[in-house]
C-alpha cells in the first residue's frame, strides 16, 4: 500500500467535514439521581469519575449514542469515541456529525486527534486551553481520497486492536495479582500490630556530599506499585521530606494518592535518599518480616481501605495519621512463608513489567503511524 503524495490531497476546512454541536449548559440544580448520565469533560478523561444524571428531555441534539465522536474544547482538549449507552452531553464538548460524503468517520477521529495534539503543544504552559467553534471550523487540513482514508483507518485500527489485547492482558494480570494477595494474606486468628514487624519513618542519615536520590509522588506508578523515575538533587535543592534506604517501602498518606495505590518497594538504591513529604516510610524489622512482605501487605485493597477510613483533615487534603500504622492489625506469617510469597509474586511482577513495556512500545508505534499517515508518508 502506497499513499498518494500530499500535493494530490485536497485542502479542506474542518467545517466542511462535519457539524459540531455543543452540549447543554446543565446547572447543578438539574442534577438528579436517576435518568441518563451527563457526560462532562472529567468523565471523558477519567472513567472512574462520578456521573451526574438528568431525567428530563432537552432534545435529540444533546443525546449521545454509542459510537458518537466527541471533542472536548475547553480546559482540556481531546477527541473521544463514546462507547457506553445513551447519555446527555454537557457544554464545552462537541458532538460531531461527520459528513461521510467527504470523510470516513474513523479517519476523521484519527485526524482530529492529530489536530488537537498539535493545539495542545502550541498552548503548552498556558493557563487555559480553549478553542471556539469558529476557530475549529476554519482549521485547514489535507484530506486524501476516501479509498486512501479507508486504508489508513485499517492500518491504524490493526495497531489499536493490539493495544486493546495488551490492555486486557494487563487488567487480567492485575486482577490475578490482587486475587492471589487476598488468598495469601487472608486474615487469620493470629493478628499483630503492624509496628511489631515494621518501623514507621525510621531515622536515616543522608550523605549530603553528593547528589541525593529524590522520589516525588509522580515518580510512583500506582497501578504497578513501583518507582518509575528517580531524580538526583544537590543538597541545596532538597528541603524537608521523607527519608529512605534500599529495601524500604513508600506509602502515600494523602488523598487521592492513597486511594490510587501509590506504594512502592525500593530496590537497587546504593545510597539513602529523600522523597515527598506525603510518603510514609516503612521498614521491615529483622527476623520479623522481609521488605517484600511489607510491600505486599500495603498493596492490598483491604489495607488501603483501612488507611482511607482512618484519614483526618479537611476535604481534599485528608491524610492517613501515623497512629493508623501503630494500631492496624495484620496477619502474622512466618518468614519462610513470606519468602515463598516473594518468589511467587515476583514472577508475576516480572511478567507485568514485560506487558507494561509492550504497552509503551505499541503506543509509540501508534503515534508514529498516525503522524506519518496524516503526512502521506505511511507505506505498507
Amino acid at each position: 500500500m502506497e499513499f498518494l503524495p500530499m500535493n494530490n490531497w485536497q485542502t479542506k476546512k474542518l467545517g466542511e467535514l462535519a457539524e459540531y454541536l455543543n452540549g447543554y449548559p446543565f446547572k447543578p440544580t438539574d442534577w438528579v439521581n436517576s435518568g441518563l448520565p451527563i457526560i462532562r469533560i472529567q468523565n471523558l478523561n477519567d472513567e472512574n469519575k462520578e456521573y451526574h444524571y438528568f431525567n428530563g428531555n432537552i432534545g435529540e441534539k444533546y443525546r449521545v449514542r454509542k459510537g458518537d465522536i466527541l471533542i472536548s474544547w475547553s480546559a482540556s482538549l481531546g477527541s473521544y469515541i463514546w462507547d457506553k449507552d445513551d447519555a446527555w452531553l454537557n457544554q464545552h464538548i462537541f458532538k460531531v456529525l461527520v459528513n461521510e460524503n467527504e470523510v470516513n468517520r474513523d479517519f476523521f477521529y484519527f485526524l482530529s486527534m492529530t489536530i488537537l495534539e498539535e493545539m495542545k503543544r502550541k498552548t503548552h504552559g498556558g493557563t487555559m486551553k480553549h478553542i471556539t467553534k469558529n476557530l475549529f471550523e476554519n482549521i485547514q487540513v489535507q484530506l486524501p481520497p476516501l479509498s486512501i482514508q479507508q486504508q489508513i483507518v485499517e492500518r491504524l485500527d490493526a495497531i489499536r486492536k493490539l493495544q486493546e489485547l495488551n490492555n486486557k492482558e494487563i487488567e487480567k494480570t492485575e486482577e490475578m495479582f490482587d486475587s492471589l494477595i487476598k488468598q495469601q494474606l487472608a486474615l487469620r486468628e493470629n493478628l499483630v500490630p503492624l509496628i511489631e514487624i515494621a518501623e514507621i519513618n525510621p531515622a536515616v542519615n543522608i550523605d549530603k556530599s553528593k547528589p541525593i536520590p529524590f522520589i516525588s509522588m509522580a515518580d510512583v506508578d500506582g497501578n504497578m506499585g513501583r518507582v518509575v523515575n528517580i531524580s538526583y538533587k544537590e543538597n541545596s535543592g532538597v528541603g524537608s521530606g521523607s527519608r529512605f534506604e534500599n529495601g524500604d517501602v513508600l506509602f502515600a498518606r494523602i488523598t487521592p494518592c492513597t486511594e490510587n495505590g501509590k506504594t512502592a518497594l525500593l530496590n537497587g538504591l546504593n545510597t539513602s535518599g529523600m522523597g515527598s513529604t506525603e510518603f510514609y516510610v516503612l521498614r521491615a524489622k529483622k527476623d520479623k518480616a522481609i521488605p517484600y512482605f511489607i510491600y505486599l501487605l500495603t498493596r492490598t485493597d483491604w489495607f488501603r481501605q483501612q488507611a482511607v477510613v482512618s484519614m483526618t483533615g479537611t476535604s481534599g487534603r485528608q491524610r492517613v495519621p501515623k497512629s493508623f500504622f501503630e494500631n492496624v492489625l495484620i496477619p502474622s506469617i512466618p518468614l519462610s512463608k513470606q519468602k515463598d510469597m516473594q518468589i511467587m509474586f515476583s514472577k508475576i511482577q516480572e511478567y507485568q513489567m514485560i506487558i507494561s513495556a509492550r504497552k509503551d512500545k505499541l503506543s509509540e508505534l501508534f503515534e508514529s503511524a498516525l503522524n506519518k499517515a496524516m503526512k502521506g508518508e505511511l507505506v505498507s
Side-chain angles (χ1 to χ4, degrees):
M1 168 176 76
E2 187 168 351
F3 297 151
L4 296 175
M6 287 289 288
N7 57 13
N8 289 329
W9 294 18
Q10 291 184 318
T11 300
K12 295 282 187 178
K13 291 182 178 180
L14 289 180
E16 299 177 75
L17 304 183
E19 183 179 358
Y20 308 93
L21 305 179
N22 191 25
Y24 185 81
F26 287 101
K27 301 180 180 66
T29 52
D30 295 324
W31 300 343
V32 292
N33 295 322
S34 62
L36 295 182
I38 300 170
I39 304 171
R40 298 178 296 161
I41 290 176
Q42 50 263 58
N43 300 123
L44 296 175
N45 292 330
D46 184 352
E47 291 188 352
N48 295 319
K49 285 293 184 181
E50 181 182 0
Y51 283 91
H52 296 302
Y53 294 83
F54 179 71
N55 62 6
N57 189 354
I58 50 177
E60 186 65 22
K61 65 180 290 188
Y62 299 113
R63 183 185 290 265
V64 177
R65 290 185 166 84
K66 186 177 292 187
D68 281 346
I69 297 173
L70 306 177
I71 292 177
S72 60
W73 55 266
S74 179
S76 174
L77 305 181
S79 185
Y80 311 85
I81 295 179
W82 183 248
D83 61 356
K84 298 177 177 60
D85 293 334
D86 287 12
W88 295 119
L89 190 66
N90 196 42
Q91 63 183 341
H92 301 147
I93 306 172
F94 292 138
K95 179 172 75 171
V96 182
L97 304 181
V98 176
N99 178 0
E100 298 193 43
N101 291 323
E102 291 282 352
V103 63
N104 178 294
R105 278 178 54 82
D106 292 329
F107 181 85
F108 178 89
Y109 168 67
F110 293 132
L111 176 65
S112 65
M113 288 175 63
T114 61
I115 293 169
L116 293 171
E117 283 301 317
E118 179 62 24
M119 297 185 78
K120 286 180 188 178
R121 285 192 288 270
K122 289 181 178 179
T123 58
H124 179 69
T127 57
M128 180 75 170
K129 298 182 179 70
H130 180 95
I131 54 175
T132 64
K133 182 179 180 182
N134 183 62
L135 172 65
F136 193 71
E137 289 178 332
N138 281 287
I139 292 175
Q140 291 188 334
V141 297
Q142 297 299 310
L143 192 70
L146 284 168
S147 60
I148 301 301
Q149 293 178 34
Q150 181 60 35
Q151 293 178 61
I152 292 174
V153 167
E154 290 173 359
R155 182 72 174 273
L156 295 175
D157 273 347
I159 301 174
R160 284 169 65 87
K161 286 178 181 177
L162 291 176
Q163 289 179 302
E164 290 173 3
L165 288 173
N166 195 66
N167 288 340
K168 288 180 180 178
E169 185 67 11
I170 289 174
E171 291 177 9
K172 178 181 176 182
T173 307
E174 288 176 351
E175 289 172 359
M176 179 177 67
F177 188 90
D178 292 340
S179 176
L180 285 173
I181 287 180
K182 290 177 182 177
Q183 292 177 23
Q184 295 294 317
L185 295 179
L187 293 182
R188 308 173 185 202
E189 293 182 2
N190 188 16
L191 300 177
V192 297
L194 176 62
I195 56 172
E196 283 197 14
I197 66 169
E199 297 179 72
I200 315 301
N201 293 336
V204 175
N205 292 321
I206 301 294
D207 183 354
K208 298 182 179 180
S209 66
K210 55 186 178 182
I212 301 169
F214 187 86
I215 299 175
S216 70
M217 192 63 70
D219 293 330
V220 175
D221 183 330
N223 291 324
M224 296 293 293
R226 62 187 178 92
V227 175
V228 293
N229 179 65
I230 298 178
S231 57
Y232 287 81
K233 298 186 177 183
E234 299 296 333
N235 179 37
S236 59
V238 178
S240 61
S242 55
R243 298 184 173 210
F244 50 75
E245 294 178 349
N246 194 56
D248 287 344
V249 173
L250 300 181
F251 184 88
R253 66 173 184 154
I254 189 169
T255 188
C257 300
T258 307
E259 296 91 326
N260 292 340
K262 295 274 188 172
T263 304
L265 173 63
L266 301 176
N267 285 316
L269 287 177
N270 54 19
T271 185
S272 54
M274 297 184 66
S276 167
T277 57
E278 302 297 351
F279 284 127
Y280 278 116
V281 178
L282 310 181
R283 180 175 300 165
K285 290 184 178 180
K286 189 177 180 180
D287 299 329
K288 295 286 187 178
I290 61 174
Y292 198 85
F293 176 71
I294 303 299
Y295 165 71
L296 280 181
L297 179 70
T298 54
R299 282 269 287 166
T300 62
D301 290 339
W302 166 82
F303 188 90
R304 194 158 58 242
Q305 289 166 6
Q306 292 269 79
V308 171
V309 170
S310 76
M311 283 182 168
T312 59
T314 58
S315 177
R317 301 298 294 175
Q318 292 185 312
R319 292 176 172 86
V320 180
K322 187 178 179 182
S323 59
F324 164 73
F325 297 96
E326 297 168 347
N327 297 319
V328 65
L329 299 177
I330 53 96
S332 177
I333 295 179
L335 282 173
S336 59
K337 176 66 174 178
Q338 293 181 30
K339 293 174 182 177
D340 290 341
M341 291 168 62
Q342 178 172 3
I343 293 172
M344 176 175 62
F345 284 102
S346 292
K347 290 179 180 178
I348 299 175
Q349 286 190 303
E350 287 174 7
Y351 181 62
Q352 286 180 314
M353 294 282 285
I354 292 172
I355 55 181
S356 178
R358 186 190 303 156
K359 178 180 180 178
D360 293 338
K361 289 182 179 179
L362 286 171
S363 179
E364 292 173 5
L365 176 62
F366 179 81
E367 290 298 324
S368 175
L370 178 62
N371 290 330
K372 288 181 179 179
M374 297 306 160
K375 296 176 182 177
E377 299 173 356
L378 191 63
V379 295
S380 58

